[in-house]
Amino acid sequence: MYDMKSMKAEEFISDEEIQATLRYADENKDNMEVLDAIIAKAKLGKGLSHREASVLLACDNEEKLQEIYDLARQIKEDYYGNRIVLFAPLYLSNYCVNGCLYCPYHAKNKHISRKKLTQDEIRREVMALQDMGHKRLAIELGEDPVNNPIEYVLESINTIYNIKHKNGAIRRVNVNIAATTVENYKKLHDAGIGTYILFQETYNKKSYEELHPTGPKHDYAYHTEAMDRAQEGGIDDVGLGVLFGLEGYRYEFAGLLMHAEHLEAVHGVGPHTISVPRVKKADDIDPEAFDNGISDEIFEKIIALIRVAVPYTGMIISTREGKTVREKALELGISQISGGSRTSVGGYVEEEPDDDNSAQFDVSDRRTLDEVLNWLITLGYVPSFCTACYREGRTGDRFMSLCKSKQILNCCHPNALMTLKEYLEDYASEDTKKKGLAMIESELKKIPNEKVRQIAAQHLAEISEGKRD
Ligand code: SAM
């Protein structure tokens, strides 16, 4: 149908094809033969095209939906097991020159307090995160070439990686900054970042231009092609996402999957992660206009279908969502969650006062990291702080081919148990420790290979004796 390899992201994710996809989905959503054929293909665990997945999204047949949810659970179990990776966002600066209509950082918001952390303040924030037990961060900044130049981002990453504090060390810094040049992506790559994350916000070009009326972010093509430039700069783990609630969800869903198809076709590796943020009320943002946008049921359906359509991708949910929605989302496909998050600049050292307006959005899940871990363990998930793949250079297609062959399970599980053990020894409350140790004991028995099981048991014993990775 297309020469995907030679097409630019913006050309490939065209309004024409998305509109055709929505029509195709409407025409076929009640056609049992088509639905069964798509579900049969999905059961092979190799993914679906944007057109096929869009038919399932349009379908409202209860029986078929149940099949899809069961399949999403199964695929998640097959590729990711019961491990959930934990991370925290770290807001470095809320200076921003853009005019995004949904974001409180927008340049015209004059009553938000603008803050940019000094390297010393970053050290204090990171030590506070390490004291909770975090090992993996996502740094967040507004776009401002004067206040937040790339040199500031690079210096901050270097600072973060070099903080040794008690038993903590941040082992992976993911970066969520505005679209930039190949040269800057090379610099980020050389600084040793984990995933480069950039949300598309919306794939509808017309809405995109209206929602981003001013500033460099207004340029739809530059934003949409950012992941290609990141790949060109050597970053092979890239994270996609749309901000659900800005535009019609069916449109966004098709666009998101087309973006994943584009990356796979052009770079031989699809998105390392897909995030599913929903727009939240925030300072200077009309809460009526932007607060969640889509129902929880539709949101869950989207999560299940992303899991089915792109089985190998990591899926991320943040504290924009509360406990109940997160619980359902974990079942249906999410593999990474944030915990104990603060969304204001400097929020980990200084408790956010109630009248503080510098948070980027309202956090719905306000539990501590320990409470989140306790909850995960109670639900039967193994909380993981593992960053072994990244540290051993298993990024991009090397990670994906392992994941697609489901081999990642064999090395991930023991690593997850070891990082959980470190957390339990160093940071956990009494109750979490008790539950976590019981979980490790029973999960250890599930490692099929005897040799691997013995090595894992040996490492776990060494962690009890004080050895750290
Ligand atoms: N400035 C960078 C950029 O332009 O891509 C990224 C950093 S921004 C701190 C991270 C993300 O927060 C944005 O990409 C947007 O999707 C999300 N965001 C902005 N306003 C939001 C709101 N009101 N509710 C939920 N998420 C929001």
Side-chain angles (χ1 to χ4, degrees):
M1 186 151 61
Y2 315 97
D3 176 15
M4 282 173 71
K5 279 197 175 182
S6 66
M7 285 174 103
K8 290 185 160 227
E10 198 223 343
E11 273 176 288
F12 177 64
I13 312 165
S14 69
D15 180 65
E16 201 187 348
E17 172 55 19
I18 297 182
Q19 299 293 1
T21 299
L22 299 185
R23 281 195 301 277
Y24 177 78
D26 283 334
E27 282 157 21
N28 289 288
K29 70 184 173 72
D30 299 313
N31 182 332
M32 290 302 147
E33 225 173 288
V34 173
L35 288 169
D36 285 339
I38 297 174
I39 293 174
K41 181 178 171 193
K43 283 185 178 160
L44 301 176
K46 302 229 169 359
L48 293 176
S49 71
H50 61 279
R51 283 206 178 194
E52 292 160 340
S54 292
V55 174
L56 300 187
L57 184 62
C59 158
D60 45 24
N61 178 303
E62 282 301 321
E63 219 176 285
K64 297 292 154 207
L65 285 180
Q66 201 47 53
E67 257 190 89
I68 293 164
Y69 289 138
D70 290 346
L71 183 58
R73 284 188 194 93
Q74 187 58 50
I75 289 178
K76 172 161 181 225
E77 175 67 27
D78 289 350
Y79 282 89
Y80 284 91
N82 59 346
R83 293 175 314 283
I84 300 294
V85 167
L86 275 307
F87 75 98
L90 174 60
Y91 283 76
L92 297 185
S93 167
N94 60 11
Y95 282 94
C96 194
V97 297
N98 286 313
C100 315
L101 296 188
Y102 49 85
C103 180
Y105 289 3
H106 70 82
K108 284 199 190 127
N109 187 355
K110 296 293 176 221
H111 49 86
I112 190 174
S113 32
R114 300 284 169 177
K115 284 186 209 160
K116 170 187 169 180
L117 297 181
T118 63
Q119 298 305 308
D120 260 350
E121 285 169 333
I122 292 175
R123 261 177 225 110
R124 286 202 288 276
E125 285 282 290
V126 172
M127 286 193 278
L129 283 157
Q130 288 174 341
D131 282 341
M132 292 182 203
H134 276 295
K135 307 279 185 230
R136 190 188 273 249
L137 303 182
I139 57 171
E140 310 274 343
L141 292 94
E143 179 169 15
D144 185 329
V146 175
N147 287 299
N148 312 333
I150 192 72
E151 291 71 26
Y152 171 69
V153 180
L154 297 170
E155 188 187 1
S156 306
I157 294 168
N158 187 44
T159 298
I160 297 169
Y161 276 135
N162 284 299
I163 300 166
K164 301 282 174 274
H165 171 60
K166 297 187 193 156
N167 287 327
I170 298 301
R171 295 166 178 163
R172 182 171 173 124
V173 179
N174 296 335
V175 174
N176 183 359
I177 62 164
T180 185
T181 58
V182 174
E183 198 179 72
N184 285 347
Y185 286 125
K186 277 197 182 115
K187 290 179 186 166
L188 289 169
H189 173 255
D190 293 346
I193 69 161
T195 312
Y196 171 63
I197 299 165
L198 181 69
F199 299 156
Q200 179 63 30
E201 320 300 7
T202 174
Y203 284 96
N204 184 316
K205 184 175 179 183
K206 190 167 165 288
S207 306
Y208 181 96
E209 288 172 351
E210 286 163 10
L211 287 159
H212 307 95
T214 53
K217 196 164 171 176
H218 178 73
D219 187 337
Y220 178 79
Y222 191 72
H223 191 80
T224 310
E225 282 154 19
M227 294 314 190
D228 299 303
R229 291 194 300 281
Q231 289 276 359
E232 213 181 316
I235 300 173
D236 54 5
D237 281 353
V238 297
L240 300 180
V242 281
L243 189 51
F244 283 103
L246 297 180
E247 245 298 331
Y249 68 89
R250 292 176 59 204
Y251 194 103
E252 304 296 21
F253 178 78
L256 183 63
L257 294 190
M258 290 180 81
H259 204 168
E261 287 163 18
H262 165 81
L263 293 176
E264 174 108 34
V266 176
H267 306 287
V269 52
H272 186 68
T273 55
I274 293 181
S275 299
V276 286
R278 276 197 291 182
V279 70
K280 299 280 298 173
K281 73 180 161 67
D283 183 71
D284 206 40
I285 302 301
D286 176 3
E288 295 296 316
F290 299 116
D291 193 17
N292 272 340
I294 51 173
S295 71
D296 291 351
E297 289 70 29
I298 293 293
F299 186 57
E300 286 155 14
K301 192 172 176 187
I302 289 171
I303 292 171
L305 281 170
I306 295 175
R307 176 46 69 228
V308 168
V310 200
Y312 52 82
T313 196
M315 279 183 73
I316 303 179
I317 202 165
S318 74
T319 54
R320 288 176 182 87
E321 303 299 334
K323 184 176 162 211
T324 317
V325 169
R326 294 205 327 155
E327 194 160 319
K328 195 79 206 239
L330 285 170
E331 251 182 62
L332 296 173
I334 296 295
S335 56
Q336 292 191 26
I337 63 171
S338 47
S341 305
R342 298 273 190 275
T343 62
S344 57
V345 180
Y348 292 106
V349 170
E350 297 223 357
E351 191 67 32
E352 290 161 13
D354 284 345
D355 60 351
D356 182 86
N357 64 359
S358 69
Q360 202 204 3
F361 51 82
D362 279 4
V363 166
S364 295
D365 188 340
R366 301 192 69 88
R367 290 173 296 171
T368 63
L369 181 63
D370 192 71
E371 285 166 342
V372 170
L373 257 83
N374 197 307
W375 165 74
L376 286 174
I377 295 168
T378 309
L379 293 173
Y381 295 109
V382 177
S384 171
F385 293 93
C386 187
T387 54
C389 277
Y390 162 72
R391 288 192 291 159
E392 284 162 28
R394 272 194 304 270
T395 60
D397 56 353
R398 288 171 301 284
F399 171 83
M400 284 306 170
S401 56
L402 265 172
C403 193
K404 285 178 187 170
S405 65
K406 299 182 189 162
Q407 283 309 305
I408 208 102
L409 275 174
N410 289 329
C411 51
C412 285
H413 209 59
N415 280 330
L417 295 181
M418 286 185 265
T419 61
L420 173 60
K421 179 79 182 255
E422 287 184 352
Y423 174 86
L424 297 175
E425 294 290 342
D426 295 339
Y427 309 102
S429 64
E430 264 317 87
D431 188 51
T432 305
K433 186 166 179 177
K434 199 167 128 229
K435 287 182 183 153
L437 290 176
M439 167 172 257
I440 290 175
E441 213 181 304
S442 66
E443 291 292 325
L444 192 61
K445 291 188 192 128
K446 293 186 193 161
I447 298 175
N449 183 309
E450 200 188 325
K451 184 121 196 18
V452 175
R453 198 166 59 241
Q454 278 169 2
I455 295 172
Q458 171 70 28
H459 286 320
L460 287 164
E462 286 167 5
I463 292 168
S464 308
E465 287 153 18
K467 192 167 168 212
R468 293 292 173 272
D469 186 16

